[in-house]
Amino acid sequence: MGKLWMKSLGAVLVAGTLLVGGTAWVAPGNYAYAAEVQGVQQNVINVVGTGEIQVKPDIAYLSIGVNSTAETAASAQKANAAKIQKVTNLLKNTWKISADDIQTSQFYVQPNYTYSDKDGQKIKGYTAHHTLTVTYRDMDKIGELLDAASQAGANNIENVRFTIEKPESFEAQVIEKAVANADVKAGAIAKAVKRQLGAVLSVSQGDASVPVMYATESLMSQAKSEADGGTAIETGQVKVSTTLNITYEMK
């Protein structure tokens, strides 16, 4: 082809591909580069906008369990069944919690072992464990409910998880914040390179998220009310967030 004189042709040769006036001429043997060059977007700004709001949780998942120990597996299981039934009756009848909101999340019966140099490892009784996951929506009465469950025989309250039941109801708010955040970023970039921001060319949304807040048993035990000895649970707030990938035209 001879020599390519850049000034006279107004062209640039990159990796065997000649760009002339925005049109790509691909040298033989360089077909792999053609799609990459032709797919390059020029005069655009790509940014990620983040939007988030703090929301008071409106639903809690309570982990309420019962443990029983006995000499035989059958005895441990029988004793535990009576206890968990008492707790379940309390939840359904006294606290009017729907059966749909009470679910067994864990159940097992396991041997307990002792060890000595003389006898080695030997079984010494069995422990039965049954945990219920309870969906509850009255945030102000969680501590009272946990106290009642403990009095009914629950001896393994592991944690309380707080979240938002319908996060989609807040989606419009976080999207608006994400767009505003992206506008600021893109505007700053355009200004820095002495250009102007044009129209939005494309938008794609990342994952929206609602993290779950945990109140563990140890935290709950520390949150005792001095006035009446009841358990006080603080719901705090959860963050609802989303990200948007936005491409702007740059003038």
Side-chain angles (χ1 to χ4, degrees):
M1 182 177 174
K3 294 184 178 179
L4 295 174
W5 299 99
M6 301 303 181
K7 291 183 179 180
S8 61
L9 292 177
V12 180
L13 184 63
V14 180
T17 302
L18 183 63
L19 300 182
V20 183
T23 301
W25 175 85
V26 183
N30 288 286
Y31 300 109
Y33 297 97
E36 294 180 10
V37 173
Q38 292 174 349
V40 171
Q41 287 183 293
Q42 298 179 357
N43 297 318
V44 298
I45 298 174
N46 298 299
V47 297
V48 176
T50 302
E52 63 180 49
I53 59 175
Q54 299 288 334
V55 180
K56 189 175 180 63
D58 58 10
I59 191 169
Y61 299 98
L62 318 178
S63 181
I64 300 175
V66 174
N67 291 332
S68 297
T69 301
E71 291 185 0
T72 67
S75 297
Q77 184 173 344
K78 183 177 179 179
N80 216 54
K83 292 179 182 179
I84 201 68
Q85 186 61 53
K86 185 177 180 181
V87 172
T88 302
N89 290 339
L90 170 81
L91 297 174
K92 291 181 178 180
N93 301 328
T94 304
W95 287 82
K96 307 302 179 183
I97 297 175
S98 169
D100 293 338
D101 290 331
I102 302 174
Q103 181 182 38
T104 293
S105 57
Q106 193 175 50
F107 175 82
Y108 61 81
V109 179
Q110 66 181 19
N112 301 318
Y113 295 95
T114 60
Y115 179 84
S116 67
D117 293 336
K118 179 180 178 181
D119 300 322
Q121 181 174 278
K122 301 186 73 173
I123 294 177
K124 185 180 181 181
Y126 293 80
T127 296
H129 177 80
H130 194 151
T131 298
L132 301 175
T133 295
V134 181
T135 302
Y136 196 61
R137 295 172 178 81
D138 191 340
M139 301 295 98
D140 295 331
K141 293 185 177 180
I142 292 176
E144 185 180 347
L145 173 57
L146 293 176
D147 288 339
S150 295
Q151 293 170 10
N155 54 12
N156 189 15
I157 299 175
E158 297 176 358
N159 60 58
V160 179
R161 295 174 288 143
F162 297 106
T163 189
I164 303 296
E165 187 166 15
K166 296 181 179 179
E168 62 274 12
S169 61
F170 300 97
E171 189 169 14
Q173 295 181 50
V174 294
I175 286 176
E176 289 176 1
K177 286 182 172 291
V179 170
N181 179 249
D183 285 345
V184 171
K185 291 179 179 179
I189 293 172
K191 183 178 179 181
V193 296
K194 297 180 174 57
R195 301 285 291 274
Q196 291 183 343
L197 197 63
V200 172
L201 301 179
S202 68
V203 181
S204 63
Q205 185 180 20
D207 292 336
S209 65
V210 184
V212 177
M213 285 184 58
Y214 285 84
T216 63
E217 182 183 8
S218 60
L219 290 176
M220 291 188 288
S221 66
Q222 295 172 10
K224 294 290 185 179
S225 169
E226 295 181 359
D228 57 10
T231 301
I233 301 296
E234 298 297 332
T235 61
Q237 291 187 320
V238 294
K239 181 176 69 175
V240 182
S241 65
T242 192
T243 59
L244 297 177
N245 298 284
I246 303 182
T247 300
Y248 297 82
E249 177 188 12
M250 186 169 57
K251 299 179 180 179

